[in-house]
Amino acid sequence: MIKENKSEQIKCSVVIITRNSFDKEKTYLDGFNFKLITIASVEDLKRYTPNVIIIDYDSISDLDEVTSEINEMPEALSISIILLTSNRVDTVLNIVLKYKIFSVLNSLTNATAVVSLNSAHNQFVKSYDDRLKNNELNRLLSTNYLTLDTKNQFLEQTNKRLEKLISDDIKTTTLQLQKLSDSIEKHLKDEYQYQLFKVHFEEVHPLFYKRLLEIDNSFSDSNLKLASFIKMGFSNSEISFFLNVSLAAVKKGIQRMKQKLKIPPHGSLREFIFKI
């Protein structure tokens, strides 16, 4: 019989946000293939790719701020959050419901902690697999959008050239050029390329627009376009590139959508959209 080499197993990465030392817990969890990493702030989280996030409730000063910062990180939205606290579960129940905490632990050195971490890790793996499938489809969607957008830019440039020719009053061709210009302009006004994108998007994310409009039917095409790219998992900078607008415009659009959807200031639009 071949013995399993434990050192070759891939450890589950667990990050705990704390100001305390967890040396004993690190040793204990290492025996169950969990690598515990301590960090002092959410900013430090960007240096790691954890499978599970633990918040040491007893050592942080502002849970609102910590969870809000985590929720603003697209890569962290599919990671389960566990709350570590010395308080009884019933005393932090409102916190658990408010922040969608995966589980509450009062220790990291017992069987309950191991089972909870294993469940959180399994959920991460499933979410990760789902993301891989969606990412491939989203890459196809983004390529499709850029292709259509490039065609749209070409049409705009062509239309400008045609308008210049018409203004030069070339009588023999004016009528034909005018018809061609009108046709191109109609194509642009109808946002034909975006309508094609919507068709392909709904094949990947069925009922997304319908559910969003059921919440607020006043959403414009611009709102839906922004929501589409958020749903596809793109960062604010990437959305700025795709929509050819400034980063500030993207952030302003996100704030307006949060207001329309009545999402509280500490809430995450990305998390809300990902769950639609």
Side-chain angles (χ1 to χ4, degrees), residues 231-245:
K231 180 71 172 178
M232 290 161 65
F234 290 110
S235 67
N236 290 354
S237 297
E238 290 169 328
I239 294 172
S240 170
F241 170 75
F242 279 121
L243 299 184
N244 195 28
V245 297

Side-chain angles (χ1 to χ4, degrees), residues 85-121:
T85 177
S86 58
N87 297 320
R88 296 198 323 269
V89 175
D90 58 341
T91 64
V92 294
L93 186 57
N94 287 335
I95 294 173
V96 172
L97 297 175
K98 180 179 180 181
Y99 297 108
K100 301 178 179 65
I101 302 297
F102 181 79
S103 65
V104 179
L105 299 172
N106 56 23
S107 171
L108 295 180
T109 56
N110 56 31
T112 302
V114 173
V115 171
S116 183
L117 286 170
N118 188 62
S119 297
H121 172 63

